[in-house]
Structure formats: C-alpha cells, structure tokens
Amino acid sequence: MLRIKRVPTVVSNYQKEEAGGEAARSSVGGCGRNCLKNCCIREAKLPLYAFKRLDKVNGKEDLSLHQCGKPPVAFLDSLVLGEWENRMQRGLFRYDVTACETKVIPGEYGFIAQLNEGRHLKKRPTEFRVDKVLQPFEENKFNFTKVGQEEVLFQFEASEDGEVQFFPNAPIDVDNSPSLVAINVSPIEYGHVLLIPWIFECLPQRIDHESFLLALHMAAEAGNPYFRLGYNSLGAFATINHLHFQAYYLAMPFPIEKAPTKKLANLNGGVKTSKLLNYPVNGLVFEGGDSPEDLANIVSDACICLQNNNIPFNVLIADCGRQVFLLPQCYAEKQALGEVDADLLDTQVNPAVWEISGHMVLKRKKDYDEASEANAWRLLAEVSLSEERFEEVNAIIFEAIASGVKDINAQHLEEVAALNSNAHSAPAKTACSQECVVLQ
C-alpha cells in the first residue's frame, strides 16, 4: 500500500475535535457546540441572501446586464466581507492572515508568494485515499454539518420572486437543505470562505450541473474581479469529502489569468474553449456563454467526464463567473509513486487550485526567502500532466461534450480524432496502479 504523509488543512474549529471524541455537552441542550446537526439546528436562524437569476432575453439569461466590478458595489460582496470581518473580530480564525507576508516574485509571470506558517499544524493523521476521485460520503468523518453555527456567514439561495432579497434572521429550512457560506478558519487570504451546496444532503466532493451553476452565480453576484472561486477534487488535494467550493479575495491578477491561450472550439451557448500556453500546468479555459447555465453545463460536463474516468482535477472560476480554468493534475500520483524530489516534498506545499493558479502558499520561511520564478515553475511542472497524457484526457473531454461543438480548430479536430482511438482502446489511467492512501 502506497502512503503519502502530509499536513492537514483544518477548515473548522470543530474539526480538531474529531480525533479526540465528542465535545463536552452543555447544560443549554444539544451537543454543546451549537452545530448544524439535528441536535442543535431546529430552532436556529441565519442570514439569508436570495440571489436573482439574471434577466432573460429570448429565454437566455443576459450576462451583459451584469457587469463585473461596476459600481455600485454588489451587496453580496459587502455581505461576505462584513460577515467575515465580524468573525475575525470574534477571534474565530486560527491566525491573522492579514499579518502574513506576501510578495510578487520577480519574473515574467508574477507568481505570488505568501508565508503562511499558521497552516503548518500538527494533528493525528487520518487516512484519505488519493487514488479514487469519487468516494462515498462518510458521516462518521468530519463534514460540514459538524461546524459551529458561528462559523456560518449566511444562507445562499435563488430568490423565489426573481429579485435579490436579504433576510438578516431567517429560519433554516433543514428539509429543503439550504446552501451555506462559511468561513475557512485557516484562511489563505482575506475573505476566505467556503460555499457548501445543499449542506444537509451530505453530497460527496463531486461536481454536477446544479452545484457548478450555484458557484457561477456566487461569482457573478459578488461582482468583484478579485473574488475567485476554486474547487479541488479528491486526489487533487481536497481535504474533506463533502461537496464544497472555496473562495477568497486577492487584489491582483493570478498568473494563470495572464497566460496566453490557443482557441480550440466554439461550443453551443456561445462558450469558447482554449488551451493554456506557456504555463507550467496544462489546462483548458472555458469562457463566455449566453448565460451562466450554458457555461455551467459545458464545464460540469467536462468535470463529470474527469470524475467518471478517475482523473483528479482543479477548477478556478474567475472574471465574475465568466471564465473557468479546468486543470487535470497528477501530483498526488507522483508522490505515491516516489517520483517527486525530496526537496519539493520537504516544502509540504500541496499544489491545489490556488497554488496552480500562481498563488504559492509557503509554510517555511526558508522557502519564502528563496522564492523564485524558477522554483515556482519547477513545483507546478510536477503537477501537470505530460503533453501526451493531457491530449489523451483532452480527447476524452471533447468526446463527452461533442454534442455541443459548433466549430472546432481544424488541427485540434485531427488531434482529437487520432487520440480517440487510444481513449477507446484502454481504460483511463487511475492515480496509482496500487492502492494509494494519503495520511493527512
């Protein structure tokens, strides 16, 4: 059995208690920690933000009516920041992320380095498999129903009457399983939150059309180009097998957003797909679309394809939900097979969506002081699928979304046709040829 030792990310203050038994019970009833489970939730109330599905023109949601970053400041943007600041003042975070040193690494790409020693935590290891992108939800392991209600900022739901509404003290409709926005108590940046779709359905970490559309709506509703959402699949450094997206503010472009691209195809609904060029990680870029639903359907089809073929991946949602980066990766596979150099492993950097996008969260002063474009590139190059493997995966993705292709780059069409035979002749590669387990 192949094992990887790595340091965990603690996203909730109640995650610490999983290794040490139940929290002490309180005389006020429930489990004593004001959680989201049945013992505490029935009489609870939380703010509710009801978002408006964008105005429709000829049956399509008109994105031209929703400009990214235009005044006035979007209410959701203010709500996230205000509630997040409130939790900071209440001392709910494990460290002050605003005190972390940050610098732009000199070079063409402008990789961003942050020294975040607060995320370097000791904890009893728990087993987590990295060779299975799809794994069943396990209620006995930590999940977001176990977080404290004080860590939840608000409920995030579609408005019933088509207008944006905010209710500062709304009941929690447990039976209809609301989507929640909660803090990450080990933040990477200012405003770091978690979007947890339909929390009480206890969905595993697995993208589908509706959950991805919800994430796009959150990006669009925030209306701030510096607010991005990210997703890590299992096997690509998701640490909790309960469906969630992450998001935070970074007031500068991610290097991946500045990378050149090569157009591959126009898809139905006005969605364009391209390939990243001159970037250390091979990936696809999806952008545009006549509506968030068009973009969500295309990207989620691609993600579902990767999930079903057991290919780990990361997703970055940028430009207020108009641009999505899809990044298959293999770093955990290489770790398990002993193919990553020891000095890279010693950094204990787990390259998930933020690192791949160019925000390098470093846990040792030595690595921060020695940060360079060459070092960042070397780490991310280990994450990337080889050019040959990426084209094989690309072929599988395009086959999955082929019904939506309007026109496609002629050269790329030939490449897909040539590679499709390989995709049919052999099953997709899994993360490891043996059982792989990561010790978090």
Side-chain angles (χ1 to χ4, degrees), residues 7 136 165 168 184 222 224 323 367 399 404 422 433:
V7 176
Q165 293 179 308
N184 184 331
N224 188 325
Q323 186 179 51
D367 299 322
E399 183 177 23
N422 292 334
S433 57

Side-chain angles (χ1 to χ4, degrees), residues 128-136 204-206 231-242 244 310-313 332:
F128 182 80
R129 296 185 64 168
V130 298
D131 63 335
K132 297 290 184 182
V133 173
L134 297 179
Q135 300 179 39
Q205 186 72 339
R206 176 177 188 163
Y231 176 89
N232 302 314
S233 79
L234 298 181
F237 300 106
T239 57
I240 295 171
N241 187 22
H242 189 175
H244 67 286
N310 202 31
I311 300 169
F313 63 94

Side-chain angles (χ1 to χ4, degrees), residues 90-333:
R90 290 164 60 179
L92 297 184
F93 295 99
R94 297 174 66 79
Y95 50 81
D96 180 6
V97 72
T98 64
C100 293
E101 293 183 64
T102 299
K103 64 183 178 183
V104 176
I105 300 173
E108 178 183 354
Y109 288 83
F111 290 107
I112 304 145
Q114 180 195 93
L115 177 60
N116 195 328
E117 295 172 294
R119 292 177 70 84
H120 185 74
L121 304 168
K122 292 182 179 179
K123 176 173 172 282
R124 181 178 66 84
T126 54
E127 289 193 342
F128 182 80
R129 296 185 64 168
V130 298
D131 63 335
K132 297 290 184 182
V133 173
L134 297 179
Q135 300 179 39
F137 179 88
E138 296 184 56
E139 197 279 335
N140 62 323
K141 293 188 177 180
F142 177 79
N143 62 77
F144 294 113
T145 68
K146 300 181 181 183
V147 308
Q149 292 175 31
E150 69 275 12
E151 294 179 5
V152 180
L153 304 185
F154 54 89
Q155 306 174 65
F156 184 67
E157 297 292 322
S159 173
E160 293 182 358
D161 64 2
E163 295 297 329
V164 172
Q165 293 179 308
F166 178 68
F167 305 92
N169 199 30
I172 300 173
D173 188 351
V174 176
D175 294 333
N176 288 321
S177 194
S179 300
L180 301 182
V181 176
I183 60 171
N184 184 331
V185 303
S186 300
I188 289 176
E189 256 300 342
Y190 189 77
H192 193 166
V193 295
L194 306 168
L195 171 63
I196 310 161
W198 310 293
I199 184 169
F200 300 117
E201 291 187 17
C202 293
L203 302 169
Q205 186 72 339
R206 176 177 188 163
I207 280 179
D208 60 20
H209 294 86
E210 288 302 312
S211 61
F212 199 78
L213 179 59
L214 184 73
L216 290 188
H217 271 295
M218 185 173 185
E221 286 288 317
N224 188 325
Y226 296 136
F227 182 74
R228 292 88 159 186
L229 284 89
Y231 176 89
N232 302 314
S233 79
L234 298 181
F237 300 106
T239 57
I240 295 171
N241 187 22
H242 189 175
L243 181 58
H244 67 286
F245 296 81
Q246 301 188 47
Y248 64 68
Y249 291 84
L250 185 69
M252 61 183 71
F254 277 114
I256 199 171
E257 295 173 322
K258 300 184 291 183
T261 60
K262 172 187 176 183
K263 180 181 173 182
L264 298 180
N266 284 332
L267 309 175
N268 282 345
V271 177
K272 182 181 80 171
T273 182
S274 307
K275 174 184 176 180
L276 282 173
L277 298 177
N278 303 325
Y279 196 73
V281 182
N282 281 316
L284 294 174
V285 186
F286 299 88
E287 52 196 331
D290 298 328
S291 73
E293 190 167 4
D294 290 317
L295 184 58
N297 285 341
I298 294 293
V299 176
S300 56
D301 279 345
C303 293
I304 291 167
C305 170
L306 294 178
Q307 290 168 169
N308 291 342
N309 283 279
N310 202 31
I311 300 169
F313 63 94
N314 308 91
V315 177
L316 178 72
I317 300 174
D319 193 23
C320 301
R322 297 171 182 269
Q323 186 179 51
V324 181
F325 297 83
L326 177 58
L327 304 148
Q329 71 143 294
C330 61
Y331 192 80
E333 173 186 355

Side-chain angles (χ1 to χ4, degrees), residues 20-78:
E22 294 186 9
R25 294 190 175 273
S26 166
S27 59
V28 299
C31 68
R33 60 186 198 177
N34 198 30
C35 72
L36 295 175
K37 298 180 75 67
N38 285 337
C39 53
C40 302
I41 196 66
R42 287 294 171 180
E43 302 302 320
K45 294 184 178 181
L46 289 169
L48 167 62
Y49 181 93
F51 64 86
K52 174 185 177 181
R53 287 184 177 267
L54 304 179
D55 291 341
K56 295 190 176 184
V57 177
N58 297 323
K60 293 290 185 180
E61 293 169 351
D62 184 8
L63 287 182
S64 66
L65 301 178
H66 203 85
Q67 297 298 319
C68 184
K70 298 291 184 182
V73 175
F75 178 72
L76 179 63
D77 196 43
S78 299

